[in-house]
Amino acid sequence: MNATGTGRPRDPRIDTDVLAVTRAMLVESGWEQLSMRAIATRSGVSRASITRRWPSKAHLVLDAILGATPDLTPFEGTDREGWIRWVVTGSAELFSRPEVRAATPGLLAAIRDHDDLRTALWRGFSGPSTQLFGSADSEESSTATAVLVLAAGAALFTSLIAVEDDTPALRAKILELLMPVARSEPGKD
C-alpha cells in the first residue's frame, strides 16, 4: 500500500532506478545539466512518477546522495570518542564521493533558496545523530551540534575549496583537535 493508503502500491524498483540514474548523471554531467526530464528518459520512468516522489530536482538529488533517512549504524554502541571519530570520518567520506562533489554547489544554492528543504535536511540528519552523542540536556546537545558543524563544515570546505589539502593527515589533525570534547565531562567546561 502506498503512503496515503489509496491507489496502487509504489514500485520500489522505480525509486532504486531513479536514484541510481541520478547519481550516475551527476558524475557524468553535473548539477547544471541534470534535469528531471533527462533522469526520466534515462531511467525509463515517467516524469510524472518522479515528480510524485520528489517535488524538485534538489529533493531528488538529496535523496540520491544521502538517502531518505540517515544511516545511524556507525554510531551504534559507540562512546563519545567513537561518535566524534565517525562524524569526522563519515563527513569526509560523504563529501569525497564524486556524486556529492558534483551536486554540492547546486544543492547549496537550492538549499539557500528553499528554507523547507534546508530545515528538513538539518533536522533529519543532525537531530538523530546528535541524540546519540550523550544525554538529551541542552549543553550536551549544543556540544554535539557544534562538533557536527565543525566536522561536516571542514569536510565540505576541503572537498570544494582546499582540495589540495584534503588528505588523511589533515583529517587526522581535525580529529585530534575535536577529541578533547570526547574526554571532557558532560556539563563541565
Side-chain angles (χ1 to χ4, degrees):
M1 188 175 284
N2 70 13
T4 63
T6 61
R8 288 189 316 221
R10 282 193 171 168
D11 181 353
R13 180 196 56 81
I14 290 174
D15 290 14
T16 302
D17 292 351
V18 169
L19 296 173
V21 164
T22 301
R23 287 187 293 272
M25 290 182 75
L26 277 167
V27 173
E28 294 165 12
S29 52
W31 172 270
E32 293 82 18
Q33 301 303 314
L34 187 69
S35 70
M36 300 287 258
R37 183 180 316 268
I39 293 166
T41 299
R42 184 156 163 189
S43 66
V45 173
S46 75
R47 191 166 167 208
S49 290
I50 293 174
T51 57
R52 272 193 301 273
R53 288 166 169 80
W54 300 280
S56 71
K57 177 170 84 169
H59 287 86
L60 172 55
V61 169
L62 277 173
D63 197 5
I65 64 175
L66 296 177
T69 58
D71 176 11
L72 299 177
T73 54
F75 295 105
E76 290 175 4
T78 190
D79 58 6
R80 289 167 56 118
E81 189 170 313
W83 186 92
I84 292 171
R85 188 172 307 283
W86 177 247
V87 167
V88 171
T89 303
S91 295
E93 288 174 2
L94 172 68
F95 286 108
S96 70
R97 290 178 18 213
E99 68 273 18
V100 174
R101 289 176 58 104
T104 299
L107 273 177
L108 289 174
I111 290 168
R112 175 199 64 215
D113 296 338
H114 296 90
D115 275 346
D116 62 323
L117 189 58
R118 180 194 52 76
T119 301
L121 173 65
W122 180 242
R123 286 190 181 146
F125 283 85
S126 70
S129 66
T130 57
Q131 290 171 4
L132 299 172
F133 183 74
S135 68
D137 74 39
S138 63
E139 182 67 28
E140 283 284 286
S141 179
S142 65
T143 298
T145 299
V147 170
L148 183 63
V149 167
L150 288 168
L156 173 63
F157 188 83
T158 57
S159 75
L160 293 177
I161 312 273
V163 177
E164 299 81 12
D165 292 319
D166 189 7
T167 64
L170 179 63
R171 289 188 291 280
K173 189 62 167 176
I174 291 167
L175 189 56
E176 176 187 324
L177 292 169
L178 290 174
M179 273 307 164
V181 174
R183 296 178 195 109
S184 67
E185 287 187 47
K188 293 189 179 182
D189 287 326

